[in-house]
Amino acid sequence: MMDEQPRLMHSHGVGMAGHPGLAQHMQDGTAGTDGEGRKQDIGDILQQIMTITDQSLDEAQARKHALNCHRMKPALFNVLCEIKEKTVLSIRGAQEEEPPDPQLMRLDNMLLAEGVAGPEKGGGSAAAAAAAAATGGIGADNSAEHSDYRAKLSQIRQIYHTELEKYEQACNEFTTHVMNLLREQSRTRPISPKEIERMVSIIHRKFSSIQMQLKQSTCEAVMILRSRFLDARRKRRNFNKQATEILNEYFYSHLSNPYPSEEAKEELAKKCSITVSQVSNWFGNKRIRYKKNIGKFQEEANMYAARTAVSATSVSAHGSQANSPSTPNSAGSAGSFNMSNSGDLFMSVQSLNGDSYQGGQVGANIQSQVDTLRHVISQTGGYSDSLAASQMYSPQGINTNGGWQDAPTPSSVTSPTEGPGSVHSDTSN
DNA sequence: ACAGATGATTATTG
DNA sequence: CAATAATCATCTGT
């Protein structure tokens, strides 16, 4: 080190009071070119800086020592601490407050619900299964796919936990490190315990924000997994033929009021080996789709109507099936009668059934026969046409009326005119 | 590969 | 909360 100094030194020897002879030594041979001079300039500055640093360090050390040994030092230090404490307190008073982040709460709740954040293996998968069952009525055949799902979920959980642990560890390490540092410094500069506390809380906040990111991405992963494996739409199976038959049979034999009660739904569910909510779905879909395009379902309706007609009773309208199955005009008539007319026509029967009869089975029986009959009548398309047309036939009739929902309600639905007596007279007035 | 059928979900409403 | 209407995502027949 010392033997290099002569080369770095500038000829002017700025401030090198301690080594007067070295500058002279440099002069021979090196003072020629400009570039060489600049280099020496830089080198000189560097050297100065180094020396100054050295000196300052020593000096500082010395001063520190002197200060520490000063007899007034403890008292002054205490005063300093006190002042600092006060200022810190005032600052903290303004910026305390740490409301639990709602976002974080949401994430936590979700992770807990998914079984990621909760207890280990057993509880987790149970929670996941519960969640899966809650979303949609999945009853029987999904055990194979489920295990796959569980495996992936536990994988996610494992990653999540290791990451979380890592973060926790790092946070703790960092915190103790900082605390040690501060404690050590507190000997030479005033650091109140509250300040340390604040520092720690800052660190914790930082780390918890990182944790939140982890939780967020974990949530995302779980959501994707869920949508992949548990969204029933992705692995939908059509019901088997028999189940569809049963459902259709019920639907078309209760066409005037295709709203199975809870018990009826359970019964159907049992018969079709599907869940009640699936039955509800089916009826919901069926109703809306039937209403939307009655013509399309004509054939089907006739089929089931005829079938129940044969099996239930031998009312046997002559030549009910004689018509060709796909008559273009049948759609129109069916549409008109299905909604408003049918309701009107059979209102009496319905109210009768609802009011005077107590036996539910008898009522249902009558109802079903009525529904069946209605179809047969519509198919024949004979006499009822005039009645239907006169009453209130319009394409909007269905839409405005809405369909089934208010059909079962007794008394006048369509018009504010008189009841069962006269039907049509005042319309053209 | 495609259109239509179909079971399920979502948003809205009363 | 159940019904409806719209929509999604898959299944199915061609």
Side-chain angles (χ1 to χ4, degrees):
Chain A
M1 172 101 177
M2 244 355 197
D3 44 7
E4 285 200 41
Q5 271 192 355
R7 297 167 55 81
L8 295 167
M9 207 72 72
H10 191 266
S11 45
H12 287 33
V14 192
M16 292 316 283
H19 314 273
L22 292 171
Q24 261 182 11
H25 182 61
M26 292 290 298
Q27 255 172 351
D28 41 21
T30 54
T33 58
D34 267 5
E36 198 67 20
R38 260 209 297 278
K39 262 187 206 163
Q40 281 185 352
D41 240 4
I42 293 167
D44 186 36
I45 290 166
L46 271 174
Q47 185 55 42
Q48 280 181 64
I49 289 168
M50 279 169 70
T51 323
I52 286 167
T53 309
D54 254 12
Q55 283 179 346
S56 320
L57 251 179
D58 282 344
E59 204 175 330
Q61 214 62 322
R63 267 190 211 155
K64 209 166 92 181
H65 186 69
L67 258 167
N68 269 332
C69 294
H70 199 279
R71 62 191 168 84
M72 287 295 280
K73 187 249 174 185
L76 284 170
F77 192 74
N78 278 346
V79 170
L80 258 176
C81 281
E82 229 170 273
I83 291 169
K84 181 127 187 224
E85 184 107 357
K86 275 180 193 162
T87 48
V88 165
L89 263 176
S90 68
I91 289 169
R92 283 188 75 198
Q95 60 157 149
E96 185 56 33
E97 281 319 302
E98 200 168 328
D101 191 353
Q103 174 105 10
L104 184 65
M105 296 261 294
R106 243 187 51 226
L107 289 174
D108 271 337
N109 283 340
M110 196 201 137
L111 287 172
L112 215 65
E114 290 310 321
V116 174
E120 270 310 305
K121 285 270 174 183
S125 53
T135 47
I138 307 162
D141 56 48
N142 53 349
S143 50
E145 294 132 19
H146 227 144
S147 71
D148 202 355
Y149 169 78
R150 270 207 299 268
K152 300 241 170 177
L153 188 69
S154 81
Q155 203 176 320
I156 288 176
R157 190 175 53 230
Q158 198 179 337
I159 291 168
Y160 170 77
H161 276 130
T162 45
E163 286 295 307
L164 205 63
E165 207 172 315
K166 240 192 286 178
Y167 289 169
E168 203 107 349
Q169 201 180 331
C171 181
N172 283 340
E173 262 172 40
F174 192 68
T175 304
T176 48
H177 179 73
V178 168
M179 272 169 76
N180 284 338
L181 217 65
L182 286 177
R183 255 201 290 270
E184 195 186 305
Q185 285 193 2
S186 73
R187 280 185 302 171
T188 54
R189 71 186 182 96
I191 296 175
S192 67
K194 275 183 183 154
E195 204 177 347
I196 296 177
E197 200 179 297
R198 208 173 105 238
M199 207 65 204
V200 168
S201 87
I202 286 170
I203 293 168
H204 280 183
R205 259 207 294 275
K206 262 288 184 264
F207 270 91
S208 78
S209 85
I210 295 172
Q211 272 188 17
M212 190 158 105
Q213 281 183 356
L214 171 70
K215 282 175 181 175
Q216 189 144 20
S217 48
T218 307
C219 269
E220 252 169 65
V222 171
M223 289 302 256
I224 290 167
L225 187 71
R226 264 183 80 102
S227 69
R228 271 281 186 92
F229 282 82
L230 292 184
D231 193 348
R233 285 183 295 191
R234 293 189 179 274
K235 296 205 167 181
R236 165 172 85 68
R237 299 278 104 131
N238 287 356
F239 300 152
N240 58 39
K241 261 235 168 348
Q242 199 178 352
T244 317
E245 292 259 305
I246 292 166
L247 292 168
N248 270 318
E249 209 164 288
Y250 188 98
F251 180 80
Y252 285 112
S253 60
H254 298 71
L255 198 51
S256 68
N257 187 31
Y259 297 88
S261 65
E262 208 53 37
E263 296 128 41
K265 278 184 198 169
E266 278 170 31
E267 175 96 15
L268 286 166
K270 210 193 298 178
K271 271 197 220 167
C272 304
S273 52
I274 58 178
T275 66
V276 174
S277 58
Q278 281 179 304
V279 174
S280 296
N281 284 339
W282 191 92
F283 272 89
N285 282 323
K286 192 72 182 181
R287 280 192 299 262
I288 198 75
R289 280 162 187 165
Y290 180 84
K291 196 164 78 174
K292 226 169 176 171
N293 192 353
I294 294 164
K296 200 163 59 185
F297 290 91
Q298 245 341 96
E299 221 177 309
E300 192 177 63
N302 295 334
M303 209 184 91
Y304 282 100
R307 187 181 305 183
T308 32
V310 170
S311 74
T313 169
S314 54
V315 185
S316 75
H318 41 281
S320 64
Q321 278 289 61
N323 272 349
S324 64
S326 59
T327 42
N329 62 344
S330 68
S333 75
S336 68
F337 103 82
N338 255 334
M339 291 309 157
S340 42
N341 264 333
S342 84
D344 234 24
L345 261 175
F346 299 100
M347 198 64 72
S348 56
V349 182
Q350 260 181 339
S351 62
L352 217 162
N353 151 18
D355 287 340
S356 53
Y357 277 98
Q358 275 104 352
Q361 292 185 346
V362 180
N365 221 347
I366 287 177
Q367 183 60 53
S368 122
Q369 289 187 23
V370 162
D371 285 325
T372 304
L373 262 177
R374 189 165 43 99
H375 263 287
V376 176
I377 290 166
S378 90
Q379 187 64 6
T380 55
Y383 68 93
S384 69
D385 219 355
S386 61
L387 226 165
S390 67
Q391 176 66 358
M392 162 175 248
Y393 172 64
S394 68
Q396 260 69 26
I398 301 164
N399 287 339
T400 48
N401 198 343
W404 292 290
Q405 207 54 315
D406 33 20
T409 38
S411 78
S412 67
V413 180
T414 52
S415 68
T417 60
E418 60 279 357
S422 61
V423 181
H424 57 3
S425 57
D426 52 0
T427 49
S428 61
N429 181 27

